[in-house]
Each structure stands twice: as structure tokens, then as C-alpha cells.
Amino acid sequence: PGLGLVCLSMARSCLSCVQAVSAAAFEYDTVKLVSIRNQKIGFVYRLVQLAVVGYIIGYVIIYKKGYQETDLVVSSVTTKMKGTAMTNYSARPLWDVADYVVPPAVR
């Protein structure tokens, strides 16, 4: 009789532990801090979270190698200069306004 009560007590404490873990795992808070304590809704919520994280890690990062994706550079730089400019890297060391317009402004 003593062993049966010990086993029953352990079973109850184990069941309450499982219920506490289940409640913590399958409840979530909304923006208004309403605590939803429905295991089915909590399970669907965590399943959607797992699906999103799985998609990002599994498909985007691992399968498509999104972290290695590169693209061609598409850009331009425009500067407005007045007067003349000197350079050491050209056959013509002195440039005026018409020389440093690219593409050349030809009329």
C-alpha cells in the first residue's frame, strides 16, 4: 500500500510538470498582453513560427545560399567642377570643363 501511494504521488507530480511545460510552450502573448491558454492555438502558433524559421534557414540560407548572393554594381557618380583640374595620371596634365565631361559633350 505504501509503494502504491508513492507511485501515485510521483505520477501526479510528473503530470503537473508536463502540464506546466505544455502551458509554457503553447501559450503566447498578443500586443494587448492577452494570454491565450489554448494548446491547439498555441501549437499552430509555434508551428507557423517553426515553418518561417525553417524556410529562412533551410531554403534561403542553406539551399539557395542567400548569404553568397551577389549582384552587379549599378551606380553613377556626378560631380560639378568649375575651372581647371590637374592630374598626374593622364597624357594631358591640365583639363578644362569640356575635357572632364564623360561622355564628352560634343555638339
Side-chain angles (χ1 to χ4, degrees), residues 1 8 17 20 25 31 34 41 44 51 76 81 90 92 101-105 107:
L8 183 61
C17 181
V31 177
V34 176
I41 294 173
V44 170
S76 64
M81 297 175 60
S90 175
R92 295 184 57 194
V101 173
V102 176
R107 294 181 188 201

Side-chain angles (χ1 to χ4, degrees), residues 11-75:
R12 285 184 183 160
S13 67
C14 184
L15 181 62
S16 66
C17 181
V18 168
Q19 288 174 343
V21 169
S22 174
F26 296 119
E27 76 178 35
Y28 64 95
D29 297 327
T30 63
V31 177
K32 292 185 177 183
L33 298 177
V34 176
S35 182
I36 308 296
R37 295 180 189 262
N38 186 327
Q39 287 185 350
K40 291 178 184 177
I41 294 173
F43 179 74
V44 170
Y45 177 75
R46 296 295 182 204
L47 191 65
V48 169
Q49 281 184 331
L50 183 66
V52 169
V53 170
Y55 168 76
I56 292 171
I57 293 173
Y59 182 73
V60 175
I61 294 177
I62 295 174
Y63 182 72
K64 295 294 278 184
K65 296 192 184 337
Y67 60 92
Q68 294 178 345
E69 189 171 309
T70 59
D71 201 1
L72 298 175
V73 177
V74 179
S75 67

